[in-house]
Amino acid sequence: MSEARPAALGEASEAAERQNQFIAANLRRIFLQILRIVGDTEDAQDLTQEVFIKALQRSEQLRDIEKAAHWLSRIATNAAIDFLRRQGRMSFSALDDLPHELAVTGDDSPEQNVLRAEQCSVLQGGLRRLSQRERLALVLRDVEGLPAEEVARHMNCSKATVRSHIANARIKFKR
Amino acid sequence: MKHLDEQTLALYAGGDLGVFSSLAVRWHLAGCGRCGQIVAALKEARESLAGSAGLLPADLDWEAMQAEMSANIRLGLAAGRIVETQPNPAVMAGWRTAAALASVTVLIAGGVYLHRPGPRRISRETPAALADASRGILVQASSAGIHLRENGRAMTLVGLANAPATLAVDTGGSARARYIDEETGEVTIHHVYAPSQNE
């Protein structure tokens, strides 16, 4: 008994440490992934927390870190799209409100900041030209890297429709 | 020279064309500078989108948000563990109610028992009978229920299935069966009085 208890405490501590590492390694990526889909910082924050809690409650999934990160991305995408459906807006309209400038850290040089600001401006300007469904298709395909079949499944439409959305979105985004 | 439509080029730029269509586009691009420039622009836009997408909004205090989210996640996980280890409140409430009901029933039954003529026999899960031969009345209690027979006529108050019964008869002319539902703890008492001589 006296030996079993410290052993159990050690395992719990190790599991907690694994969870913390998993959170630290994936939090920013998942937050941004959700933010790109839902378009609102507070919604993205809430959904990110929900996604991590849901994922970490099934700790057996964390054994393979690489698979777990991929699995987490899928949960995040589904959660974000479900959220839009629940809100009755399969929409990216809130993305228009995203700031044009980029986060600046103390380590960035002025040149880097300018470059990143330009990149963000391009991103926002390009996304504004797209319809809601074109935006979703483009983000899922070209940012999340999902295959067209999976994008179609997420958007509840045919692969041909998704290809059309993706093509139109790329053309408009390029201009 | 006839140029390819921009939709086809856009799909080609992202690798979304089939094998044969891709080969056809590649063949065309080998001899068409204009379409080649469009494909290059599409690929560049695609790369810039992917590259910019990882950038945080400028007005976001990521350090603070990261700390807040991490704390909330840990809190949510801890709350989940507590909920998992707590017994189901509905079940707890059910057992508490059942225990309270059972206690009250025992008190009431005890009071009734003390204020009635003493039973001659109390048995559990065994048939019990009271006969009044002079009037042809028979009151019988068994785990199946309470049976009343008089001059060839009979009726049965059927007992509760799958509920253990405590049976009692007394010389005052009544039979009693007490059932306890094993799942809910609910107590049901059937008490049948034989008609008195005045009735």
Side-chain angles (χ1 to χ4, degrees):
Chain A
M1 180 75 181
S2 58
E3 285 178 12
R5 191 171 170 78
L9 285 173
E11 279 176 23
S13 163
E14 202 176 301
E17 182 56 31
R18 242 192 344 261
Q19 282 187 350
N20 288 341
Q21 284 174 0
F22 186 73
I23 294 169
N26 293 286
L27 193 64
R28 177 181 163 134
R29 179 177 65 85
I30 294 299
F31 169 76
L32 281 170
Q33 183 181 329
I34 292 173
L35 177 62
R36 281 193 297 270
I37 297 174
V38 302
D40 178 81
T41 306
E42 285 182 12
D43 290 339
Q45 186 177 358
D46 290 344
L47 284 168
T48 302
Q49 291 165 186
E50 280 176 30
V51 164
F52 271 91
I53 290 169
K54 198 187 288 183
L56 289 169
Q57 279 173 337
R58 297 177 61 184
S59 53
E60 72 277 10
Q61 297 276 359
L62 300 185
R63 285 180 195 143
D64 184 333
I65 296 296
E66 200 172 316
K67 276 186 188 166
H70 181 66
W71 173 66
L72 190 67
S73 293
R74 289 174 64 91
I75 297 178
T77 300
N78 289 337
I81 293 175
D82 284 348
F83 172 80
L84 292 183
R85 287 206 181 103
R86 284 201 305 274
Q87 300 286 309
R89 55 181 178 112
M90 181 63 90
S91 159
F92 271 63
S93 55
L95 269 182
D96 293 342
D97 301 330
L98 283 176
H100 288 232
E101 295 166 25
L102 299 171
V104 177
T105 67
D107 299 333
D108 291 333
S109 67
E111 291 80 9
Q112 281 174 320
N113 290 339
V114 171
L115 182 65
R116 291 173 71 183
E118 282 177 1
Q119 282 180 317
C120 194
S121 177
V122 167
L123 173 73
Q124 296 307 320
L127 289 177
R128 266 189 214 96
R129 289 193 287 270
L130 310 183
S131 72
Q132 294 164 355
R133 294 185 74 80
E134 285 169 350
R135 287 185 190 192
L136 180 58
L138 190 71
V139 169
L140 291 181
R141 178 72 186 99
D142 286 355
V143 180
E144 307 304 337
L146 299 183
E149 293 83 357
E150 206 167 328
V151 177
R153 191 175 57 77
H154 279 302
M155 294 180 66
N156 277 335
C157 61
S158 70
K159 190 182 166 188
T161 305
V162 161
R163 281 158 55 91
S164 172
H165 285 322
I166 291 170
N168 289 335
R170 283 179 185 151
I171 293 163
K172 288 183 189 174
F173 186 79
K174 167 180 73 74
R175 282 171 192 155
Chain B
M1 175 181 263
K2 189 183 175 187
H3 297 290
L4 294 175
D5 68 90
E6 213 171 356
Q7 281 222 334
T8 302
L9 296 176
L11 291 173
Y12 173 80
D16 290 304
L17 284 181
V19 178
F20 295 110
S21 302
S22 290
L23 282 174
V25 171
R26 196 175 297 172
W27 180 261
H28 174 84
L29 292 178
C32 180
R34 180 180 171 274
C35 288
Q37 282 179 352
I38 293 172
V39 168
L42 282 163
K43 284 185 175 174
E44 191 184 342
R46 195 167 174 267
E47 282 165 17
S48 81
L49 172 65
S52 311
L55 300 170
L56 289 163
D59 60 347
L60 198 70
D61 183 351
W62 175 245
E63 297 298 320
M65 182 179 274
Q66 184 180 26
E68 186 185 337
M69 281 197 286
S70 300
N72 286 342
I73 291 165
R74 278 192 285 272
L75 190 67
L77 289 169
R81 280 193 292 271
I82 290 168
V83 169
E84 278 172 11
T85 54
Q86 290 288 329
N88 187 340
V91 172
M92 283 293 287
W95 279 107
R96 283 194 195 109
T97 307
L101 279 173
S103 303
V104 169
T105 307
V106 165
L107 280 173
I108 293 169
V112 170
Y113 178 84
L114 291 171
H115 284 86
R116 289 200 59 79
R120 292 286 182 256
R121 183 161 67 93
I122 296 177
S123 65
R124 189 176 182 82
E125 293 297 339
T126 52
L130 167 72
D132 183 347
S134 63
R135 297 175 58 218
I137 296 175
L138 177 72
V139 181
Q140 186 177 37
S142 75
S143 57
I146 299 177
H147 318 283
L148 175 64
R149 293 190 182 88
E150 183 179 14
N151 296 326
R153 291 176 299 171
M155 64 162 283
T156 298
L157 181 57
V158 179
L160 302 185
N162 302 323
T166 302
L167 311 171
V169 291
D170 65 51
T171 52
S174 71
R176 192 168 71 97
R178 180 168 162 267
Y179 305 93
I180 302 175
D181 189 315
E182 287 183 318
E183 284 183 10
T184 63
E186 189 178 308
V187 177
T188 304
I189 297 174
H190 290 170
H191 207 153
V192 174
Y193 296 88
S196 67
Q197 286 185 340
N198 298 330
E199 288 171 3

